[in-house]
Amino acid sequence: MKFFIDSADLKELKDLASTGMVDGVTTNPSLIAKSGRDMIEVIGEICAIVDGPVSAEVTATDHATMLAEGRKLAGIARNVAVKVPLTPDGLKTCRVLADEGTQVNVTLCFSPAQAILAAKAGAAFVSPFVGRLDDIGTDGMQLIADIVEIYDAYPAIRTEVLVASVRHPIHVVAAAKLGAHVATLPPNVLRQMYQHPLTDKGLAAFLADWQKTGQSILG
Ligand code: G3P
């Protein structure tokens, strides 16, 4: 399973990239606003830190302007994946950009029917939002199961399931069990995944015993 980081915070991204766990980055207009940075600049800087796909989202809602924005974003760096919303204009834009060789991430997917359309439009990634579905009292992970099942039934589909709106490590584990290709993690979720109290307790006991030996591996 690939891990993308859902953030436009350069400091966080540099720190997490050094862990070797980061395969890409996703941003959205809310995350760019939170960064307080110029979008074109910050996407360029993120692309220089991370080799994998960096999603940059269009903000227009009509096809012609989305396409112009998408082409501009794709020109920032070779690893930009243009993110478009799952609307008729968004999918029309996806088709054109995909045919031009640009990776497209279709975002704001909330149903299996929408995911079928994203695959038909040639999306490199479809982003179902699990946390926001959970928030309204539905089972976000069932959507992942449905999309994975549908895509698996058609080997010609190349679209990767990118689990978004992830809120905790249990989302990541559940998505991995279903065989989702990618999860985009808020920085705190990746950090939480390392944690287990028995790891801390076990390490403390090993180190206490080691100290009693008076030895040092490096001499
Ligand atoms: O980038 C899209 C997605 O991950 C947003 O997550 O937490 O705002 O629902 P959230």
Side-chain angles (χ1 to χ4, degrees):
M1 180 184 227
K2 286 179 275 191
F3 286 169
F4 291 177
I5 301 298
D6 202 24
S7 174
D9 181 327
L10 254 294
K11 197 171 160 291
E12 285 278 30
L13 291 173
K14 273 187 194 148
D15 185 43
L16 292 175
S18 72
T19 65
M21 296 284 174
V22 179
D23 302 300
V25 172
T26 52
T27 67
N28 60 38
S30 304
L31 292 170
I32 297 289
K34 194 171 159 198
S35 77
R37 298 281 317 277
D38 174 81
M39 180 181 183
I40 305 295
E41 267 178 34
V42 80
I43 294 293
E45 289 172 32
I46 295 170
C47 287
I49 296 171
V50 177
D51 281 340
V54 173
S55 290
E57 188 162 343
V58 300
T59 54
T61 54
D62 67 284
H63 169 63
T65 320
M66 271 188 199
L67 187 57
E69 288 183 352
R71 285 174 174 154
K72 179 168 178 179
L73 294 172
I76 296 174
R78 50 144 201 92
N79 54 332
V80 167
V82 174
K83 212 170 172 188
V84 300
L86 209 154
T87 60
D89 284 62
L91 293 187
K92 201 169 149 185
T93 305
C94 175
R95 178 80 272 164
V96 178
L97 290 171
D99 288 347
E100 290 174 357
T102 296
Q103 288 204 314
V104 181
N105 175 358
V106 174
T107 190
L108 291 166
C109 174
F110 292 95
S111 78
Q114 290 180 319
I116 293 169
L117 294 178
K120 282 190 74 69
F125 305 101
V126 65
S127 292
F129 279 29
V130 293
R132 292 193 196 182
L133 282 169
D134 291 352
D135 288 347
I136 60 159
T138 58
D139 182 0
M141 210 45 67
Q142 185 56 50
L143 174 59
I144 304 303
D146 289 342
I147 299 172
V148 168
E149 183 185 342
I150 293 164
Y151 284 10
D152 279 354
Y154 293 91
I157 292 180
R158 293 273 170 267
T159 307
E160 296 194 2
V161 180
L162 194 171
V163 181
S165 189
V166 166
R167 301 282 160 78
H168 43 67
I170 295 170
H171 274 150
V172 184
V173 173
K177 282 166 116 172
L178 292 168
H181 306 87
V182 192
T184 188
L185 314 180
N188 68 313
V189 174
L190 178 54
R191 294 204 173 92
Q192 284 169 359
M193 288 180 73
Y194 287 88
Q195 302 302 319
H196 197 288
L198 291 180
T199 303
D200 298 340
K201 193 177 166 194
L203 182 59
F206 285 154
L207 294 182
D209 288 340
W210 176 247
Q211 206 157 19
K212 286 179 212 153
T213 70
Q215 298 180 53
S216 157
I217 292 173
L218 295 179

